[in-house]
Amino acid sequence: MTHVANEHSERDVPAMTVQRIPLYLRCLLEAQGERLTVLNSKQLGDRAGTNAAQVRKDLSHLGELGTRGIGYDVDDLVVHLMRRLGITESRSAALVGFGRLGSAFLGYQGFAARGVRIVAVFDTDPDKVGTEIEGLIVTSIDDIADAVEREGIELAILTVPAASAQKACDALVASGIKAILNFAPCTLTVPDDVSVRQADVAADLQILSFHLNRASSEGYSR
Amino acid sequence: MTHVANEHSERDVPAMTVQRIPLYLRCLLEAQGERLTVLNSKQLGDRAGTNAAQVRKDLSHLGELGTRGIGYDVDDLVVHLMRRLGITESRSAALVGFGRLGSAFLGYQGFAARGVRIVAVFDTDPDKVGTEIEGLIVTSIDDIADAVEREGIELAILTVPAASAQKACDALVASGIKAILNFAPCTLTVPDDVSVRQADVAADLQILSFHLNRASSEGYSR
């Protein structure tokens, strides 16, 4: 039930495992809310929509966690995963692109609870700059370097049109940002030390369409 | 340069390959826009932010495409990928949850160009039902089965709070929907023949935070 945080090199953690850490954390926080103190790998797998073997394999990449035959101490594992995700203290993020999608994210209360606070919002449109929204003032993207330094911004959420995305990305990189979540449907060119995650909603819909197509063309389900 | 659409069982296509098909399609459409007729795997890999070997491996799962030493016929590959994705004719989608995020998606013109049209919008809030938005009338979720039948809806985009998501999901499944893109941060329980894709923006930010954390704790970049 103890976890020995036998730190591997994080470089060893497979990308698919990294993708599931936030999922496990969310499920563990739900279990905490239900006052559960221990979960075994089957229980965590059921909550996460995966299975016991996958849970054990994923968590094995993160150290020697859990106790055989008993399970994982929920509180310990929450702390461990939050530490691995680097969200024991919240990260500051910039929102770049104050359009409809950006506005939706600014109004969403769920980020702060999950370790990321949007502390600044940028746009290029002079008509938008100066607008107050959710306690923030929309700032010109020309002033991004100052804001990044002043606010300790580490992440950026990019919600600009595809045609403007590389230019906005370049400004972010020049200001020292090392992690970008890109909603524009385009491939960004960044230096090796910058992480980009692509969030392309239309692509997600196309992937679902692939599954529909497969189910119908093969006459079987799923 | 011809493509022989040697249909494998689509069941053989690895999940990570499926995830990249929309990316390749987007890059090919960009190349079409630049009036390019042939791309080799390195060129397609560069555009997609991956590499030649990955492109060849991914596309090999989709049939015998391309000609060795020459490359892929752009137009042929576009058609082939669209067919595999099941978007040669556009798919009809329902938006469930007319909040800020849902509104942002309704206003987004990019889905139709990528094969998915939002043809109906649903909410449970009586104050929202009846509202006209982007040419659609917000409908009570109680009427979803009729709409799914009438409009030929196949996909749903779920943008409701986590606490309401399973109930909305159950209504979608009962109406015959087999593919759901879920923006609520919760695991949905669905029958085996229903595909769910989780779009959790906070989780994406946490994954980026993991990479930041790794870079800083190991004193190396990326």
Side-chain angles (χ1 to χ4, degrees), chain B residues 34-93:
Chain B
E34 297 162 26
R35 307 208 175 270
L36 298 172
T37 56
V38 178
L39 284 185
N40 63 33
S41 46
K42 170 154 190 340
Q43 291 167 321
L44 182 50
D46 286 346
R47 284 172 180 260
T50 168
N51 59 59
Q54 186 71 67
V55 167
R56 280 194 296 266
K57 194 171 169 192
D58 283 336
L59 295 181
S60 75
H61 290 292
L62 301 176
E64 291 182 20
L65 304 168
T67 305
R68 191 178 297 266
I70 297 180
Y72 302 98
D73 182 281
V74 172
D75 293 349
D76 282 356
L77 193 51
V78 163
V79 170
H80 187 76
L81 296 187
M82 287 180 75
R83 200 158 52 80
R84 281 307 186 94
L85 291 171
I87 53 169
T88 45
E89 289 172 41
S90 80
R91 297 260 187 199
S92 294

Side-chain angles (χ1 to χ4, degrees), chain A residues 90-94 115-119 151-156 177:
Chain A
S90 82
R91 298 260 186 198
S92 294
V116 177
R117 282 180 313 123
I118 298 177
V119 299
E151 307 279 352
I153 295 167
E154 295 180 284
L155 292 156
I177 294 285

Side-chain angles (χ1 to χ4, degrees), chain A residues 23 34 47 60 65-66 74 104 106 126 138 148 155-156 165 186 188 195 221:
Chain A
L23 173 63
E34 298 163 25
R47 285 173 181 261
S60 75
L65 303 168
V74 173
L106 279 173
V138 180
V148 164
L155 292 156
C186 63
L188 297 177
S195 300
S221 298

Side-chain angles (χ1 to χ4, degrees), chain A residues 10-11 22 26 47 83-85 91 114 185-187 193 197 200 204 206 209 213 218 220-221, chain B residues 10-11 22 26 47 83-85 91 114 186-187 193 197 200 204 206 209 213 218 220-221:
Chain A
E10 275 93 341
R11 269 183 277 195
R26 176 161 64 64
R47 285 173 181 261
R83 201 157 53 80
R84 280 307 185 94
L85 291 172
R91 298 260 186 198
R114 295 176 71 191
C186 63
T187 304
D193 65 343
R197 233 179 125 66
D200 183 342
D204 284 326
Q206 291 181 335
S209 177
N213 200 40
E218 299 202 350
Y220 81 104
S221 298
Chain B
E10 275 93 343
R11 270 183 277 197
R26 178 163 61 65
R47 284 172 180 260
R83 200 158 52 80
R84 281 307 186 94
L85 291 171
R91 297 260 187 199
R114 295 177 68 192
C186 62
T187 304
D193 65 343
R197 234 180 123 67
D200 183 342
D204 285 326
Q206 292 181 336
S209 178
N213 200 39
E218 299 203 349
Y220 81 105
S221 296

Side-chain angles (χ1 to χ4, degrees), chain B residues 179-199:
Chain B
I180 299 171
L181 180 57
N182 177 32
F183 281 86
C186 62
T187 304
L188 297 176
T189 304
V190 294
D192 280 348
D193 65 343
V194 176
S195 300
V196 173
R197 234 180 123 67
Q198 189 68 37

